[in-house]
Amino acid sequence: MAVSSRGLALALVLSFSSLCYLAAPSPAATTSDPDGFLQCLSGSVPSGLIYTQGASNFTDVLASSVRNPRVFTGDTARPLCVVTATDASHVQAAVRCGRARGVRLRVRSGGHDYEGLSYRSLQRGEVFAVVDLTRLRAIVVSAGGGGAWPAAPTAWVESGATLGELYYTVAGNNSGLAFPAGICPTIGVGGHLSGGGIGMLMRRFGLAADNVLDAKLVTADGDLVDRAAMGEDLFWAIRGGGGGNFGIVVSWKVGLVRVPPTVTALNVMRTLDQGAIDVVNRWQEVGPTLPSDITMRVIIQGQQATFQTLYLGRCGDLVPTLGTFFPELGMTAADCLEMTWLQSVGFFHTWNPNAPVESLLNRGTSLSTFTKNKSDYVRRAIAKDDWKSIFPWFAMSGAGMIILEPHGGFIGTVPPSATPYPHRSGVLYNIQYIAFWPAGSDGSAATSWISNFYDFMGQFVTNNPREAYVNYRDLDIGENTVVNDVSTLDGGKVWGERYFAGNFRRLAAVKGAVDPTDFFRNEQSIPPLLQGNNRWGKRLG
Ligand SMILES: Cc1cc2nc3c(=O)[nH]c(=O)nc-3n(C[C@H](O)[C@H](O)[C@H](O)COP(=O)(O)OP(=O)(O)OC[C@H]3O[C@@H](n4cnc5c(N)ncnc54)[C@H](O)[C@@H]3O)c2cc1C
Ligand SMILES: *[C@@H]1O[C@H](CO)[C@@H](O)[C@H](O)[C@H]1NC(C)=O
Ligand SMILES: *[C@@H]1O[C@H](CO)[C@@H](O)[C@H](O)[C@H]1NC(C)=O
Ligand SMILES: *[C@@H]1O[C@H](CO)[C@@H](O)[C@H](O)[C@H]1NC(C)=O
């Protein structure tokens, strides 16, 4: 299969205009004592790990893992300092000193938050510090029990590791092992697992968060707790309830999964002239019902659709299977690329089947492209005539692309309340909308395109709530309202029920139990449900 240069260009597209956000003026906590905070920190954290605004490389360190330059160029509040923790005790110290001195924290693992909430505040004048976990990235794989009944292999991975580092470490010396998580290798484990984690293995093995077995978390009191000590409610909440809410997860114990030593990867492209509309229309039924060892997502850009597929097996078996389930696609053995699962990760990221697996270790960022993304879920297939009205949007000025990610399979069998991620049974696929433009250029065509297109699509997707995925964070859907220094439930419900549906209230109850003063707060953090003093809580409780 030829690798299209368009594919490469797509893959290089990363990360729009701060004009979209009007920061609500909100006074900084009157009790904030930045100097006292720094002095407190210096008692527990080596000075070389603390970058204050005056440090010569403060901006470099702050920018080091920024993925979305759109939110980095704006005049949003910058942190007082960046603490590059190398030990859980540094995280604990930052929390304790922050609590004592009225300095809030933003925690950053991979820095991929779509709205930059891990390193910026939209509250002008807010005094906060960033706890950066980039240097906390050890990965320890344990092969399993051995003997006749080897226990399933597991790994402890620190939050600052990237998905690429995890994949490489798990599979690099054992092509039979894998971990089900996102496509982009530079994503941080910390934020990704906190929000769910969808990817090419989820129809077979679930979300990344579905495979978390234990975790070590620093609480709002600065204690370091594991699953047994945090209790099952908090452990439930951190596996999909979104990052930055309940504490700082330092490390995760994950269950690894077994894959065949050779898998098949392919990108099949169909233009409008080649029947793209018919094939996409049919895919809506096929994609979510294929055997769970086949994941076929669809990328639509320009007037063409690419069916990006991973099969956990050999080409010889895939061809007849797709011939039976999806003859309309017309894939042949010539489309197949056989490789290890680890190589397939590099292929789906770069669209280059020969990408060296070592490239998965590259943490480098590019600040060359601005992007704005949004998300939806589809539970009822969109009619073919409606696809005919959708495709012309990709020929408009400012047009970006969409990615359709099939659900069904294992992920659909998990009850919607088993984890905070509620988009389970009945979901056919989610849609990710992506608008992009070169850094520094006028992004108005692209931003108008995505917002108009998203409005247009409202008629075809889920409503009440119009579901959205927390890891594709979108501040357009709502921001917290803060009253008496605590985020309100009514404000949080607006965006929170879209990410979490019926699980929002339970998340708020957990927040109320573990962080009642709302220390871990950002523009879209879960508000604490405080029994007794909130109208909404009383009504439902
Ligand atoms: C290029 C790109 C590709 C992507 N592809 C996928 C994909 O295929 N599948 C998918 O599901 N998602 C995908 N995402 C979204 C990604 O999963 C989320 O942005 C995720 O939250 C990023 O995690 P992070 O650690 O890199 O981000 P960060 O910006 O560091 O953190 C994200 C949020 O989590 C909080 N947080 C970070 N670390 C911790 C911690 N240790 N404890 C508690 N809270 C924490 C932050 O404060 C912030 O609120 C993609 C994002 C990008 C930019
Ligand atoms: C939007 O999604 C694309 C594709 O996953 C990604 O490259 C880009 O960084 C995302 N945008 C933001 C703002 O993170
Ligand atoms: C910051 O600058 C100091 C002094 O120039 C240097 O020693 C250190 O390595 C730099 N740190 C980073 C993360 O760039
Ligand atoms: C395989 O293991 C060796 C020895 O532990 C290590 O040096 C190497 O980096 C590993 N390779 C991969 C691809 O993980």
Side-chain angles (χ1 to χ4, degrees), residues 334-403:
D335 295 315
C336 287
L337 293 163
E338 291 191 334
M339 56 184 77
T340 65
W341 172 77
L342 190 63
Q343 288 169 326
S344 80
V345 176
F347 170 68
F348 291 123
H349 177 53
T350 61
W351 296 48
N352 172 6
N354 302 315
V357 291
E358 285 69 29
S359 65
L360 298 174
L361 301 176
N362 182 357
R363 298 179 69 118
T365 59
S366 154
L367 300 181
S368 61
T369 306
F370 285 9
T371 62
K372 168 64 187 170
N373 298 1
K374 303 177 80 64
S375 64
D376 264 321
Y377 284 83
V378 175
R379 291 173 182 266
R380 210 181 50 221
I382 299 175
K384 185 177 157 185
D385 278 349
D386 294 326
W387 282 108
K388 289 183 185 160
S389 66
I390 292 170
F391 262 77
W393 282 87
F394 300 102
M396 289 179 185
S397 156
M401 60 174 155
I402 60 172
I403 303 178

Side-chain angles (χ1 to χ4, degrees), residues 113-377:
D113 189 276
Y114 280 11
E115 300 283 9
L117 300 190
S118 54
Y119 51 86
R120 67 159 186 162
S121 167
L122 276 73
Q123 321 311 314
R124 307 278 258 116
E126 180 176 352
V127 179
F128 69 101
V130 168
V131 175
D132 186 292
L133 302 181
T134 309
R135 298 188 193 180
L136 271 172
R137 55 203 244 220
I139 302 170
V140 178
V141 177
S142 103
W149 302 101
T154 58
W156 273 100
V157 53
E158 289 179 331
S159 284
T162 63
L163 294 184
E165 290 166 349
L166 179 59
Y167 296 154
Y168 182 91
T169 307
V170 163
N173 280 318
N174 185 342
S175 60
L177 282 186
F179 183 70
I183 310 256
C184 173
T186 50
I187 296 171
V189 162
H192 191 68
L193 271 56
S194 295
I198 68 186
M200 298 301 280
L201 290 177
M202 75 171 165
R203 299 190 66 254
R204 175 73 179 82
F205 299 110
L207 304 176
D210 294 342
N211 292 279
V212 171
L213 304 169
D214 200 341
K216 291 181 186 154
L217 165 129
V218 174
T219 67
D221 294 325
D223 297 330
L224 182 64
V225 294
D226 64 5
R227 176 175 182 169
M230 76 177 82
E232 289 303 302
D233 277 340
L234 179 52
F235 185 62
W236 173 83
I238 62 172
R239 290 171 296 148
N245 287 309
F246 306 104
I248 300 179
V249 181
V250 175
S251 61
W252 310 77
K253 183 182 183 185
V254 296
L256 305 177
V257 302
R258 295 188 193 280
V259 292
T262 303
V263 305
T264 305
L266 53 150
N267 285 332
V268 179
M269 300 179 197
R270 293 289 175 259
T271 62
L272 216 48
D273 294 343
Q274 294 169 323
I277 290 182
D278 286 311
V279 187
V280 170
N281 183 48
R282 175 76 182 129
W283 171 86
Q284 297 179 99
E285 286 162 54
V286 175
T289 54
L290 280 169
S292 65
D293 51 9
I294 306 176
T295 295
M296 184 185 288
R297 58 180 208 151
V298 186
I299 300 168
I300 303 178
Q301 185 182 17
Q303 297 296 292
Q304 109 178 347
T306 301
F307 297 84
Q308 195 169 58
T309 309
L310 173 67
Y311 171 53
L312 299 176
R314 308 292 298 254
C315 179
D317 294 325
L318 179 64
V319 174
T321 306
L322 285 185
T324 303
F325 287 99
F326 200 9
E328 298 82 354
L329 180 63
M331 71 81 69
T332 68
D335 295 315
C336 287
L337 293 163
E338 291 191 334
M339 56 184 77
T340 65
W341 172 77
L342 190 63
Q343 288 169 326
S344 80
V345 176
F347 170 68
F348 291 123
H349 177 53
T350 61
W351 296 48
N352 172 6
N354 302 315
V357 291
E358 285 69 29
S359 65
L360 298 174
L361 301 176
N362 182 357
R363 298 179 69 118
T365 59
S366 154
L367 300 181
S368 61
T369 306
F370 285 9
T371 62
K372 168 64 187 170
N373 298 1
K374 303 177 80 64
S375 64
D376 264 321
Y377 284 83

Side-chain angles (χ1 to χ4, degrees), residues 13-15 67-68 70 112 114 371 373 403 432 434:
V13 163
L14 285 180
S15 299
R67 279 292 144 173
N68 186 2
R70 165 176 65 84
H112 279 46
Y114 280 11
T371 62
N373 298 1
I403 303 178
Q432 184 174 196
I434 305 165

Side-chain angles (χ1 to χ4, degrees), residues 49 61-62 64-65 81-86 91 106-111 118-119 129-136 160 363:
L49 302 179
V61 172
L62 182 60
S64 62
S65 73
C81 65
V82 180
V83 182
T84 60
T86 60
V91 180
R106 304 262 171 159
V107 54
R108 181 167 76 176
S109 291
S118 54
Y119 51 86
V130 168
V131 175
D132 186 292
L133 302 181
T134 309
R135 298 188 193 180
L136 271 172
R363 298 179 69 118

